[in-house]
Amino acid sequence: DVCSSDLAARVVRPLAGREAAPMVAVLLALVPLVLLTDATVRTWATVSPVRFPDDLTRAADVLSGQDGVVVTLPWRAYRAFSWGHPGMTSSDPAVRMVDADVVTSDSLQVGATLVPGESRLAADIGAALASGGRPADELAPLGVTWVVLYPDDREAQLVDLTGLEPVEVGDDVAVYRVPGAVARDGA
């Protein structure tokens, strides 16, 4: 395993004498900055924290420890939140914040192509939602007892909430109970 200083030394040694070696090393260190001038600006936005909305905390409190499966809608794993960094997507925070079984789509979208995931339950839920029926009717037989809706999602207005029971509704996150759903064993 060669570290970067060893690599720089190996490159500099044949290129210059002892006097020029530090100058060549500095130039080699600056090459990535010259070639990737916006890297620090673009990278910083992906690692700088955002503040989750209070609605998400309330939803997590309502759902934590509940039996059954929680599904987040619209059906996708990555989304652009109004409270997140503009123009950047993030994975669904409910998966990490809620102490319950949270299922999101495990399909990967690459451009216009959707690559199916591996989870049987996620595939069944995705197929049920794609069937065109109401989520309240389609999700109950699959053991889905809760729905988390992100109202700020661009497709949220397309989700048919008819039949779902509102439990905690906020501007950024809403929680609905799926009536008639029976929690599956080993969800």
Side-chain angles (χ1 to χ4, degrees):
D1 188 39
V2 178
C3 70
S4 58
S5 61
D6 292 339
L7 182 61
R10 289 180 185 185
V11 171
V12 168
R13 203 174 298 123
L15 293 177
R18 289 209 183 276
E19 312 80 41
M23 178 63 84
V24 172
V26 168
L27 288 172
L28 286 174
L30 292 175
V31 165
L33 295 175
V34 171
L35 295 177
L36 304 169
T37 55
D38 67 344
T40 55
V41 173
R42 297 289 298 163
T43 302
W44 185 250
T46 64
V47 296
S48 64
V50 297
R51 180 167 158 38
F52 288 146
D54 292 337
D55 291 347
L56 188 57
T57 303
R58 283 192 293 278
D61 290 344
V62 166
L63 295 169
S64 290
Q66 294 290 342
D67 288 334
V69 173
V70 178
V71 166
T72 60
L73 297 178
W75 184 243
R76 68 166 69 68
Y78 289 87
R79 47 187 95 243
F81 294 102
S82 62
W83 43 266
H85 294 298
M88 301 189 85
T89 59
S90 173
S91 62
D92 194 322
V95 174
R96 296 176 302 283
M97 288 187 69
V98 175
D99 182 22
D101 294 321
V102 179
V103 179
T104 64
S105 172
D106 67 345
S107 297
L108 175 64
Q109 185 159 354
V110 182
T113 305
L114 196 62
V115 181
E118 301 276 328
S119 166
R120 183 75 254 151
L121 180 57
D124 290 347
I125 292 169
L129 292 169
S131 73
R134 297 181 327 164
D137 300 330
E138 299 295 332
L139 296 176
L142 297 173
V144 175
T145 52
W146 300 93
V147 168
V148 171
L149 178 77
Y150 295 106
D152 64 343
D153 190 286
R154 67 183 183 272
E155 295 179 7
Q157 67 276 5
L158 302 176
V159 176
D160 184 357
L161 300 173
T162 308
L164 296 174
E165 299 172 358
V167 175
E168 180 73 38
V169 178
D171 293 334
D172 296 304
V173 181
V175 177
Y176 296 88
R177 186 183 331 272
V178 179
V182 177
R184 293 165 53 155
D185 291 333

